[in-house]
């Protein structure tokens, strides 16, 4: 029998489990969730009496979970598929993520994978990001940030033509195909669902803030409170699952595919980022003369130089690339600007101590840990190298973008990612190889899928 170290390498404390069990005496089950390469939660549903054991000795899960494609199939040549005995690695609680989902009646806990000696497992996406956080902290910076989530609510079953439709409102059961952009009445008609989402957030240490009806019919956006960047990435995992599980109980589905409807707006996941000093002061704050922080400008310069190499993480699936078919509000570029929503890296116009920048390219399907890892890593490279970001863009909505060196499609993004020394250095060699192989396999699989549109256009006419 293997004896495991009673000290959690994640920093989790047994008292967190004990307090949870005392606060929620009727909870009988807890979902423990490990986030894979694709941002999908993998794990187990454990019983109440097992929770303390996860905090005392961790929980075994196979590291081959990271060697799977989006469907859960092993990708044999990625280097992560287990052979031989196929032993487990230990997963430990992510401190502060144990919470309760009132609408399910279950608890929920994020976990992260470690080796038997307590070393963070090198291909766990959360640990990949954690390495960049540690790098920032060694330089005297504390990363801060928040993500915005855009998503669609759709009917659970398709219509007679086989197509999914925006969901009927939770309150009135009425359906609207209109955009209703920023309509407060639309939010009111969907309020029973969102009331359940906000109620659940109270039990998850998740501060959801502004809610709006977005540009597409059935599309919404939620913002999450700005805080420690690692916890901000955790917040995305927690928020997406909260929204999904609530939607199911109202007879609808929350869709985080970035382009579910070809003629409607895509769904993004904008990342807001700044760096603080050890005392919590914002190092991106404007200079005394009102000019932008050189530190922030160098960070933007570093990111601009890597966007082309990292597009596979920002747009990881075939559907991701449909979002860039129309550049309106979905910038497929490497430019920056102040108070300009056509650019990739936007500096909000409000001046002062809260100054930060917004990375606008990632789709809502992207893994937040990986988006944060390459964004922070490139920002630190820019700061260390004092990279000039160049002149801010003055493009306007509806105007043609200046040509840039970004991939034009998914396969090119896969090739660029695989050839990138920046990705290999920032994400780790083993992760870099495995992710490249998994995406190559996914591309080859999807290339064999013949769509209904292809039958319509070509089946009987060419």
């Amino acid at each position: 029998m293997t004896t495991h170290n009673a000290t959690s390498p994640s920093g989790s404390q047994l008292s967190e489990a004990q307090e949870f069990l005392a606060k929620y005496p009727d909870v009988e089950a807890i979902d423990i969730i490990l986030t894979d390469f694709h941002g999908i939660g993998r794990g187990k549903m454990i019983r109440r009496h097992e929770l303390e054991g996860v905090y005392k000795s961790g929980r075994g899960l196979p590291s081959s979970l990271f060697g799977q494609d989006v469907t859960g199939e092993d990708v044999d040549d990625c280097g992560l598929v287990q052979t031989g005995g196929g032993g487990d690695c230990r997963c430990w609680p992510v401190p502060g993520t144990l919470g309760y989902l009132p609408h399910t009646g279950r608890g929920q806990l994020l976990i992260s994978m470690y080796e038997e000696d307590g070393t963070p497992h090198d291909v766990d996406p959360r640990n990949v990001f954690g390495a960049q956080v540690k790098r920032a902290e060694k330089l005297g910076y504390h990363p801060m940030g928040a993500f915005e989530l855009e998503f669609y609510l759709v009917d659970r079953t398709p219509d007679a033509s086989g197509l999914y439709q925006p969901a009927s409102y939770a309150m009135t059961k009425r359906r609207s195909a209109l955009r209703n952009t920023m309509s407060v009445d639309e939010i009111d008609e969907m309020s029973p669902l969102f009331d359940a989402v906000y109620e659940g957030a109270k039990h998850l240490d998740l501060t959801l803030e502004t809610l709006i009806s977005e540009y597409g019919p059935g599309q919404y956006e939620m913002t999450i409170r700005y805080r420690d960047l690692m916890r901000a990435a955790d917040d995305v995992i927690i928020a997406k699952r909260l929204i999904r599980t609530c939607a199911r109980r109202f007879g609808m589905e929350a869709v985080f595919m970035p382009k579910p409807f070809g003629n409607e707006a895509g769904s993004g996941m904008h990342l807001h980022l700044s760096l603080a000093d050890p005392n919590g002061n914002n190092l991106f704050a404007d200079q005394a003369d009102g000019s932008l922080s050189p530190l922030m400008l160098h960070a933007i310069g570093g990111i601009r130089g890597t966007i082309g190499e990292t597009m596979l993480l920002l747009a990881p699936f075939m559907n991701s690339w449909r979002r860039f078919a129309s550049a309106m509000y979905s910038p497929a570029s490497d430019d920056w600007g102040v108070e300009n929503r056509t650019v990739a890296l936007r500096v909000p116009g409000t001046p002062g101590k809260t100054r930060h920048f917004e990375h606008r390219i990632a789709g809502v399907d992207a893994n937040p840990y990986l988006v944060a890892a390459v964004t922070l890593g490139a920002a630190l490279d820019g700061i260390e190298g004092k990279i000039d970001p160049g002149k801010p863009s003055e493009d306007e909505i509806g105007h043609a973008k200046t040509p840039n060196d970004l991939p034009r499609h998914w396969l090119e993004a896969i090739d660029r990612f695989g050839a990138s020394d920046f990705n290999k250095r920032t994400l780790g060699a083993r992760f870099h190889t495995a992710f490249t192989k998994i995406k190559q396999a996914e591309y080859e699989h999807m290339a064999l899928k013949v769509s209904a549109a292809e039958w319509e256009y070509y089946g009987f006419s060419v």
Side-chain angles (χ1 to χ4, degrees), residues 197-335:
V197 170
Y198 281 110
E199 178 61 28
K202 294 177 184 178
H203 298 264
L204 295 166
D205 187 26
L206 177 67
T207 306
L208 298 177
E209 297 189 325
T210 305
L211 167 69
I212 65 171
S213 61
E214 258 290 353
Y215 193 69
Q219 187 186 32
Y220 300 87
E221 179 187 80
M222 296 189 98
T223 59
I224 310 175
R225 179 168 293 178
Y226 205 89
R227 56 170 160 180
D228 172 89
L229 187 59
M230 177 61 84
R231 183 52 205 251
D234 291 336
D235 284 346
V236 173
I237 303 299
I238 295 168
K240 288 174 75 170
R241 188 160 194 270
L242 170 61
I243 295 167
R244 273 200 179 101
T245 54
C246 280
R248 289 183 188 130
R249 283 153 180 82
F250 282 84
M252 58 187 82
E253 294 289 341
V255 174
F256 296 96
M257 183 168 63
K259 194 74 168 178
F261 305 111
N263 294 321
E264 300 298 341
S267 295
M269 184 179 70
H270 302 164
L271 168 59
H272 296 254
L273 176 68
S274 63
L275 298 176
D277 69 15
N279 295 319
N281 299 307
N282 180 18
L283 296 172
F284 285 0
D286 290 350
Q287 301 294 285
D289 62 0
S291 61
L292 296 178
S293 160
L295 195 76
M296 183 179 72
L297 293 175
H298 291 149
I300 291 172
I303 296 169
R304 287 197 67 197
T306 61
I307 289 177
E309 300 168 62
T310 63
M311 279 296 291
L312 185 61
L313 299 178
L314 309 176
F317 304 107
M318 177 179 284
N319 182 263
S320 311
W321 292 83
R322 296 189 185 279
R323 181 168 159 258
F324 303 122
S326 170
M328 185 175 290
Y329 306 121
S330 298
S333 63
D334 57 4
D335 49 5

Side-chain angles (χ1 to χ4, degrees), residues 275-427:
L275 298 176
D277 69 15
N279 295 319
N281 299 307
N282 180 18
L283 296 172
F284 285 0
D286 290 350
Q287 301 294 285
D289 62 0
S291 61
L292 296 178
S293 160
L295 195 76
M296 183 179 72
L297 293 175
H298 291 149
I300 291 172
I303 296 169
R304 287 197 67 197
T306 61
I307 289 177
E309 300 168 62
T310 63
M311 279 296 291
L312 185 61
L313 299 178
L314 309 176
F317 304 107
M318 177 179 284
N319 182 263
S320 311
W321 292 83
R322 296 189 185 279
R323 181 168 159 258
F324 303 122
S326 170
M328 185 175 290
Y329 306 121
S330 298
S333 63
D334 57 4
D335 49 5
W336 77 283
V338 178
E339 200 49 63
N340 186 335
R341 283 183 166 82
T342 74
V343 298
L345 300 167
R346 166 181 170 256
V347 178
T350 304
K353 295 181 179 180
T354 62
R355 183 74 81 184
H356 64 280
F357 66 84
E358 175 190 17
H359 195 313
R360 295 175 53 80
I361 298 181
V364 75
D365 56 339
N367 185 321
Y369 299 122
L370 302 179
V371 172
V374 293
T375 302
L376 179 59
L380 296 176
D381 283 358
I383 290 169
E384 290 183 311
K386 297 186 177 182
I387 298 175
D388 185 346
K391 293 182 179 180
S393 172
E394 297 182 358
D395 287 346
E396 298 178 2
I397 292 173
H399 289 194
K401 299 292 286 183
T402 302
N404 57 64
D405 188 34
L406 299 194
R408 296 296 302 275
H409 51 76
W410 192 30
L411 181 58
E412 184 182 351
I414 294 170
D415 292 340
R416 291 276 297 274
F417 179 89
S420 168
D421 289 335
F422 168 80
N423 288 326
K424 185 175 183 179
R425 171 170 49 85
T426 303
L427 303 168

